[in-house]
Amino acid sequence: MGTKSVRAGQHTVEIHRPDKKLFPDDGLTKEDIVGYYRSIAPFMVPHLKDRPLMLERHPDGIGGLRFMQKQTPDTYPEWIHRVEVDKADGTVVHPVCDSTATLLFLADQATLTFHRWQSKVKRLERPDRMVFDLDPAEDDFEAVRRAARQLGELLDELRLPSALMTTGSRGLHVIVPLSADADFEETRAFARDVAEKLAERDPDRLTTAVQKKAREGRLYLDIQRNAYAQTAVAPYSIRAKPGAPVATPITWEQVKDPELTAQRWTVTDVLEQARTKPWEGILSRGRSLAPARRRLDSLG
C-alpha cells in the first residue's frame, strides 16, 4: 500500500497505507479522510488551536476496534505541540492541534473524530466554552430542534450569545462562549441550573435525569461536558458512522428547517456549509457568568 507525502506549511506529512478503506461501505480511504481534513483545515484548526485533545482512532476502519487516545506517544514528531495536564493519578500529555500539518498527521493515525477541551492550555481551569448536548430519547430530531429553540430563547433571556452545531450523530450542541473568568465547578453548576430551568418549563418533553430509565422518553439536557478534562466533539470532525457524517456548525435560522438532521452534512458537502461562516461574530463575544447568574436566579 506504500506511503504518500503531503506538504503542509513547513512540514511534510507521510500518509501510510493511503488506500486503506476506513469507511468500507462508502469506499472512503485514509487518503480521502486526509484530503477532507486538508480542505477543512482553515475552518477547523481555529476551533482546535490551544486546546488539549482526545483522539478517536479507527485504524481498521469504522467496523474495527476504536481507540480513545489522550496520551501523546514519544514517537510523534517534535513539532506536534503537547500540553501536560493533571489527572487523579498523575499527569497526561495531550496533543494540541494548531496547524494543518498536525491535523493531517493525526488523520494519518486514523483519527476520525477530534474531541476538545472546553478550556485552553494557558487557563486549563477556566473554560471559555459551555456546552449543552441535546440528546433525544429516540431518533426524533424534531424534539431536538424544538429543545434547541427553547434553550436559545432562555439563553437570550440571560443575554448569553450561543451557537449551534449538529453532532454528526443524534443531536445538537448548543455552545456558549465565555470570558473564562469562572472555573469548571461554577460553569457546570450554572449549566445544570439552566438545564433544570428549561426542564421545569417543559417537564413532559425535557429532563436532566442522568439515568436513562428515569428519562421516560424525554429529551436529555446533558451538561456533563462542562467539567475539568471532559471533552466534546470538535466542529468539522468526522463521525465513525456510515456515510461519514460531520459535526457541523449551523445558524439559528437553519435549525428551523424541518429537513435538518444531526447527520445532514458529510465529508462530501460540508465544505460549502463551512464557507458560509455560520458562527461568524458569535464565539468572540465571550461573556461573564456573573450577570447571567443574577438574571437566572431572578426568573420565576
Side-chain angles (χ1 to χ4, degrees):
M1 284 183 157
T3 63
K4 287 190 175 182
S5 299
V6 177
R7 186 70 180 176
Q10 299 178 348
H11 305 288
T12 298
V13 178
E14 296 294 330
I15 309 304
H16 302 85
R17 304 180 70 192
D19 296 331
K20 172 71 177 180
K21 289 188 177 180
L22 299 184
F23 290 79
D25 292 343
D26 300 291
L28 294 173
T29 65
K30 184 191 285 189
E31 185 174 14
D32 294 324
I33 299 306
V34 172
Y36 162 74
Y37 277 122
R38 188 177 194 183
S39 67
I40 205 68
F43 304 98
M44 184 176 184
V45 170
H47 296 294
L48 301 176
K49 189 176 181 180
D50 298 329
R51 297 180 189 276
L53 297 178
M54 179 171 67
L55 310 176
E56 182 179 332
R57 298 176 55 204
H58 294 259
D60 294 316
I62 63 172
L65 292 177
R66 179 185 72 166
F67 297 90
M68 305 300 289
Q69 177 182 320
K70 297 180 180 180
Q71 182 69 34
T72 307
D74 294 337
T75 54
Y76 278 18
E78 292 184 2
W79 49 265
I80 300 287
H81 287 189
R82 300 153 165 84
V83 60
E84 185 173 5
V85 303
D86 293 330
K87 62 176 184 175
D89 58 349
T91 63
V92 59
V93 179
H94 286 264
V96 178
C97 180
D98 57 4
S99 69
T100 298
T102 300
L103 185 62
L104 301 190
F105 178 86
L106 297 176
D108 176 60
Q109 304 302 301
T111 302
L112 294 184
T113 311
F114 295 78
H115 302 265
R116 65 175 187 170
W117 278 42
Q118 312 317 318
S119 59
K120 293 185 176 182
V121 296
K122 291 184 178 180
R123 304 190 75 186
L124 288 173
E125 301 282 352
R126 304 276 173 168
D128 68 343
R129 299 285 183 267
M130 180 168 55
V131 179
F132 297 88
D133 183 6
L134 308 184
D135 183 14
E138 300 176 354
D139 290 330
D140 179 7
F141 204 74
E142 174 56 33
V144 177
R145 294 195 307 115
R146 180 174 56 244
R149 294 193 299 270
Q150 292 172 304
L151 178 55
E153 290 170 0
L154 176 53
L155 293 171
D156 285 345
E157 291 180 53
L158 303 176
R159 300 180 193 173
L160 290 174
S162 56
L164 277 170
M165 183 179 74
T166 65
T167 62
S169 180
R170 285 163 37 90
L172 285 172
H173 282 181
V174 178
I175 301 164
V176 178
L178 303 176
S179 58
D181 60 351
D183 61 20
F184 273 103
E185 183 177 355
E186 183 179 350
T187 301
R188 188 176 186 182
F190 179 84
R192 182 190 62 241
D193 291 348
V194 169
E196 289 179 350
K197 172 59 67 175
L198 195 63
E200 178 186 303
R201 290 180 173 183
D202 193 357
D204 293 334
R205 292 172 171 169
L206 305 175
T207 182
T208 58
V210 176
Q211 294 186 344
K212 287 186 177 181
K213 63 181 181 181
R215 298 176 193 170
E216 299 176 337
R218 294 170 293 177
L219 181 141
Y220 175 41
L221 301 168
D222 184 359
I223 56 89
Q224 302 302 320
R225 287 161 177 76
N226 300 294
Y228 180 82
Q230 294 299 305
T231 61
V233 62
Y236 301 113
S237 285
I238 302 170
R239 306 310 299 267
K241 296 181 176 295
V246 173
T248 307
I250 64 173
T251 66
W252 280 100
E253 187 64 27
Q254 286 177 301
V255 82
K256 299 177 184 178
D257 183 358
E259 300 300 317
L260 181 70
T261 70
Q263 300 184 26
R264 160 62 182 83
W265 285 276
T266 72
V267 294
T268 63
D269 61 2
V270 73
L271 186 58
E272 182 179 353
Q273 168 71 4
R275 287 171 175 156
T276 68
K277 300 180 180 179
W279 287 357
E280 188 168 26
I282 298 176
L283 298 184
S284 61
R285 296 160 50 199
R287 299 291 174 84
S288 171
L289 285 181
R293 164 57 74 182
R294 291 193 291 272
R295 295 186 189 104
L296 180 62
D297 291 344
S298 70
L299 294 178

